[in-house]
Amino acid sequence: WRYIGAFGGFIFLLIQLMLLVEFAHRWNINWSSGVEYNRLWYAALTLVILILFSIAVGAVIFMGVYYTHPEACLLNKIFLGINSSLCFIVSMLAISPYIQKLQPKSGLLQPGVISVYVMYLTFSAFSSKPKEMITVDGVNQTVCVFPFDSGSESDKKIVTSLGAVILFACIIYSCLTSTTKRSSAALRVYRNSEPETERARCCFCFGDDTEDYDEEKTTSGQSVVYDEREGTIYGYSYFHFVFFLGSLYVMMTVTNWFHYDDHKIEKLLDGSWSVFWIKMASCWVCLFIYMMTLIAPMMCPKRFEA
């Protein structure tokens, strides 16, 4: 059953990574469409891009200072260099002339979002790794950990409880957002689901853009939003399947991904190698998915003509 849980948890993570990439693309398309009629959207895009890359670069510096050591933490040094280099490569690829020719809307906003998320996963992976100790002047010291750690039992309980609440809240939110009509269309790479006319707005994630362009009906009677000629709005099987995958992901998380021997709920946030590799692999999968969205029109031009 743990192998079934690992497979289902991996599929759940894969769905969330695909939706993150789709969110980055839609954010860029939505705000870029506002540049045509208002230059303030260009300023907003520039500001957000600067903030995102500042956070990513700051995260690299932070992890380089606190999660590396001259005499230890070799994996941290290698993976920090690899992940930061991959983020730089996809950023340059997104604004390369050939990609710009095939995808004029491609810019630095999407790699900015991806870079911040990859840096977060890298930081989470480093925090989830078992602690390393070295001997300095005959004294054992724990290295490559954040220095703020009081070590009291009350603080550990608060951190564990808060971490569990955040974990379940994120999983519920992920399950709900994964089952919307737009998200399911994005997972099928169904391009025709995108509205032909896009209006830039800050809260573009809420509601359907096509509703903004519908003329107001002054006549009395019921207003039909979607008559389900091609399919139902709510997919029962898909909805519950995503929640089933989410439950498997929770199962693997609370059992520390295969390291469940003598595992207690109080040790939910303790480090293990399995959690470290799961999070590190998620970084590479996320970067691979985004890179494929950039080069896919080159390999299959007819599919992406719309």
Side-chain angles (χ1 to χ4, degrees):
W1 182 247
R2 62 176 177 173
Y3 292 106
I4 296 176
F7 178 76
F10 174 76
I11 297 299
F12 182 78
L13 286 175
L14 184 61
I15 291 175
Q16 304 314 311
L17 294 175
M18 293 176 66
L19 293 181
L20 173 70
V21 174
E22 191 270 341
F23 166 78
H25 279 291
R26 189 185 173 207
W27 186 3
N28 182 73
I29 292 175
N30 186 273
W31 281 26
S32 297
S33 63
V35 177
E36 300 176 359
Y37 63 88
N38 193 339
R39 287 292 178 180
L40 289 178
W41 287 107
Y42 184 80
L45 271 173
T46 305
L47 178 62
V48 171
I49 290 171
L50 289 175
I51 292 175
L52 290 175
F53 278 102
S54 298
I55 294 174
V57 173
V60 172
I61 297 174
F62 172 82
M63 288 183 285
V65 172
Y66 291 105
Y67 286 90
T68 60
H69 192 275
E71 301 178 5
C73 304
L74 179 61
L75 283 179
N76 290 10
K77 300 173 187 176
I78 294 175
F79 290 138
L80 182 60
I82 291 176
N83 291 352
S84 56
S85 299
L86 289 175
C87 290
F88 178 77
I89 291 173
V90 296
S91 300
M92 293 297 100
L93 183 63
I95 59 175
S96 62
Y98 195 76
I99 296 297
Q100 289 283 320
K101 181 180 178 181
L102 295 175
Q103 303 184 50
K105 295 292 185 179
S106 178
L108 288 175
L109 181 61
Q110 304 102 309
V113 174
I114 301 301
S115 298
V116 169
Y117 188 71
V118 168
M119 288 299 107
Y120 161 74
L121 284 179
T122 305
F123 165 75
S124 182
F126 290 167
S127 302
S128 303
K129 194 180 68 167
K131 298 179 180 179
E132 294 188 33
M133 301 187 68
I134 61 174
T135 303
V136 179
D137 298 330
V139 180
N140 293 330
Q141 293 184 357
T142 304
V143 295
C144 302
V145 294
F146 193 65
F148 181 74
D149 186 10
S150 62
S152 63
E153 290 297 326
S154 60
D155 288 346
K156 289 183 178 180
K157 291 181 179 179
I158 292 175
V159 171
T160 302
S161 303
L162 182 61
V165 170
I166 294 175
L167 170 67
F168 284 101
C170 290
I171 291 173
I172 293 175
Y173 174 78
S174 299
C175 289
L176 293 175
T177 55
S178 300
T179 53
T180 61
K181 186 176 69 172
R182 182 181 293 272
S183 297
S184 59
L187 294 175
R188 296 195 304 269
V189 198
Y190 183 54
R191 294 294 180 178
N192 293 332
S193 64
E194 294 292 335
E196 295 180 358
T197 308
E198 190 89 14
R199 190 183 72 174
R201 54 182 180 174
C202 294
C203 300
F204 63 91
C205 291
F206 299 97
D208 194 352
D209 291 330
T210 56
E211 296 176 3
D212 297 331
Y213 294 92
D214 293 338
E215 296 181 358
E216 296 183 359
K217 298 181 180 180
T218 56
T219 59
S220 60
Q222 184 179 8
S223 177
V224 179
V225 178
Y226 184 72
D227 59 4
E228 300 185 349
R229 286 176 298 184
E230 298 180 358
T232 58
I233 297 176
Y234 181 87
Y236 291 93
S237 58
Y238 176 66
F239 180 83
H240 293 290
F241 177 69
V242 171
F243 267 83
F244 170 69
L245 296 180
S247 66
L248 292 180
Y249 176 76
V250 172
M251 180 188 74
M252 298 306 295
T253 301
V254 298
T255 55
N256 215 0
W257 290 87
F258 296 110
H259 291 269
Y260 56 84
D261 296 333
D262 298 327
H263 192 71
K264 299 179 180 179
I265 193 65
E266 292 81 5
K267 298 181 180 180
L268 177 62
L269 301 179
D270 287 357
S272 69
W273 284 111
S274 56
V275 177
F276 171 80
W277 287 113
I278 287 291
K279 293 180 178 179
M280 196 58 63
S282 299
C283 294
W284 302 330
V285 172
C286 183
L287 289 167
F288 175 76
I289 292 175
Y290 174 65
M291 190 176 298
M292 289 302 298
T293 62
L294 294 177
I295 65 177
M298 300 166 52
M299 299 184 295
C300 305
K302 293 184 179 181
R303 182 178 178 86
F304 292 89
E305 283 179 357

